[in-house]
Amino acid sequence: MKKILYSFLLLSSATLFAQKNTATKFAVANDIVGTVDMFNNNNYKGSVQSSKAYKSATELPQNLKKFDYLADNGLVEYKLKSNQVVIDRMPVNELNAQFGLPADTPVLIDGYEFTNTKTLVYGDIINNAQVITSNGKKMVSVTTSRK
């Protein structure tokens, strides 16, 4: 009985990690994914030239359509000032490499599945990363918020 209960708890926790965090509001700058919280942080406020918020995936302009899966809670496009400090970025497949998973394995960021593992993300959004099992597959799950 204990084994069954333990298995259920383990499966439930993995499922919880894979759920979308609808509180996360994603942002895109220079075709790189970040979060609104990251750009509102004092470190990057001075780097923003302008921003445009979109309320849903249907409002996205053509250049942002490839990010429509992130627009559940809207999406903000930032234009950065030129001659600013370069913000660390990485393709999500580097996360797979860090955890010994195949490069083409989808990555979850706050429960949103990044199937194109060449998508660039700002390193500052990665607060915690771990390998989980979701739908029988091992994948990296990233959380962006600090608790």
Side-chain angles (χ1 to χ4, degrees):
M1 184 67 177
K2 285 183 182 180
K3 285 184 181 183
I4 293 172
L5 182 58
Y6 178 73
S7 297
F8 175 73
L9 290 174
L10 188 62
L11 180 63
S12 297
S13 68
T15 303
L16 286 174
F17 281 114
Q19 289 181 348
K20 288 182 179 179
N21 179 356
T22 55
T24 302
K25 188 155 187 178
F26 286 98
V28 175
N30 299 333
D31 242 14
I32 306 167
V33 177
T35 62
V36 171
D37 288 343
M38 181 192 109
F39 285 103
N40 287 338
N41 181 322
N42 289 333
N43 294 336
Y44 302 116
K45 270 187 178 178
S47 299
V48 175
Q49 178 177 328
S50 65
S51 65
K52 172 110 172 109
Y54 301 96
K55 292 182 182 177
S56 67
T58 58
E59 292 182 3
L60 295 176
Q62 194 61 39
N63 67 314
L64 295 178
K65 290 284 187 193
K66 63 184 168 190
F67 300 111
D68 65 348
Y69 63 99
L70 300 174
D72 287 352
N73 196 23
L75 188 71
V76 177
E77 180 180 26
Y78 287 99
K79 301 280 186 206
L80 301 179
K81 295 176 183 175
S82 57
N83 301 325
Q84 290 296 314
V85 173
V86 176
I87 305 170
D88 288 338
R89 64 197 76 168
M90 65 187 295
V92 293
N93 61 19
E94 282 187 20
L95 287 165
N96 285 327
Q98 289 175 14
F99 286 95
L101 296 175
D104 62 345
T105 304
V107 172
L108 295 173
I109 298 180
D110 282 348
Y112 290 82
E113 189 171 336
F114 285 64
T115 55
N116 178 356
T117 59
K118 293 181 182 176
T119 301
L120 293 174
V121 296
Y122 288 108
D124 285 34
I125 70 169
I126 300 169
N127 179 45
N128 184 29
Q130 63 184 343
V131 175
I132 64 162
T133 302
S134 178
N135 296 328
K137 280 183 66 176
K138 287 188 177 218
M139 56 187 359
V140 176
S141 179
V142 173
T143 54
T144 61
S145 61
R146 303 200 191 288
K147 294 185 179 174

